[in-house]
Amino acid sequence: MLYSAFIFGLISSFHCIGMCGPIAMMLPVDRTNQTKKAIQIITYHLGRLTAYGTIGFVFGLLGKGFLLAGLQQNLSIFIGVAMILIVLIPDKIFAKYNFSKPVFKLISKIKTALGSQFRNKSFKSLFTIGLLNGFLPCGMVYVALFGAIAMQSESLGVLYMILFGLGTVPLMSSVVYVNSFITLPIRNRIQKAIPYVAVCIGCLFILRGLGLGIPYISPSNMSLFIQADPNCH
């Protein structure tokens, strides 16, 4: 399922242009030295990947708890259904509930700290900008975190989120160089494709949990468990 993380990140990056694009375009990079500029952009992305990996570790650890409880198959099905519901339920319904309210003060502090870093062109500041940017609320990251939980391991949870982040790197890097290379109509078309990709990934998680015996897609129930002794008859 790890490949789905990179694909989802690649598609989600078109959403990221609208949400985090302004931050990327405002990065305090060297506009005269292209080599240094490239290294600075990489530093910014390393900060984002560190944030995603940290969150992936926490949610992967949570998924491991479900694994130890023997709930991994049900969890995979639940996560697949949740992914599909998130993209199918209209935004106006979610708008009625402020899910960020419990951590509003924390988010406000992150935004304040993020703004202060733009005054400095050091690599430390660029890494910090990426790190703080990665912790800001984002619907696409929330969907990816469902996948991190389903990995049922802290290390795989980290890997899943890093692969998701790597998928966003190409397009997010491009906006630093040319902020108008994708026209609004094209961007809107791709934005419409994001829900379909999320539904497909959700279906993969459901199939994985069902254990239908389909190689690589829906392995049998027996192969979902790691056991010290082989299953022999």
Side-chain angles (χ1 to χ4, degrees), residues 81-95 97:
V81 172
M83 283 183 170
I84 294 171
L85 288 178
I86 284 177
V87 298
L88 292 183
I89 296 175
D91 291 338
K92 61 181 180 181
I93 294 180
F94 283 113
Y97 307 95

Side-chain angles (χ1 to χ4, degrees), residues 16 41 61 65 129 135 160 174 216-217:
C16 295
I41 294 171
L61 197 60
I129 291 171
F135 283 119
Y160 191 93
S174 299
Y216 304 107
I217 295 177

Side-chain angles (χ1 to χ4, degrees), residues 27-29 40 43-44 121-130:
L27 287 177
V29 296
Q40 289 174 321
T43 303
Y44 161 72
K121 292 186 178 182
S122 69
F123 287 101
K124 180 181 178 181
S125 290
L126 286 161
F127 180 85
T128 303
I129 291 171

Side-chain angles (χ1 to χ4, degrees), residues 150-191:
M151 290 296 100
Q152 304 155 1
S153 158
E154 58 268 42
S155 57
L156 289 178
V158 171
L159 183 57
Y160 191 93
M161 289 306 297
I162 288 178
L163 286 173
F164 167 79
L166 286 173
T168 68
V169 167
L171 202 56
M172 289 297 292
S173 299
S174 299
V175 299
V176 182
Y177 290 94
V178 185
N179 57 27
S180 60
F181 72 105
I182 296 180
T183 62
L184 184 60
I186 294 176
R187 192 185 306 175
N188 287 337
R189 287 190 195 128
I190 297 173
Q191 282 271 31

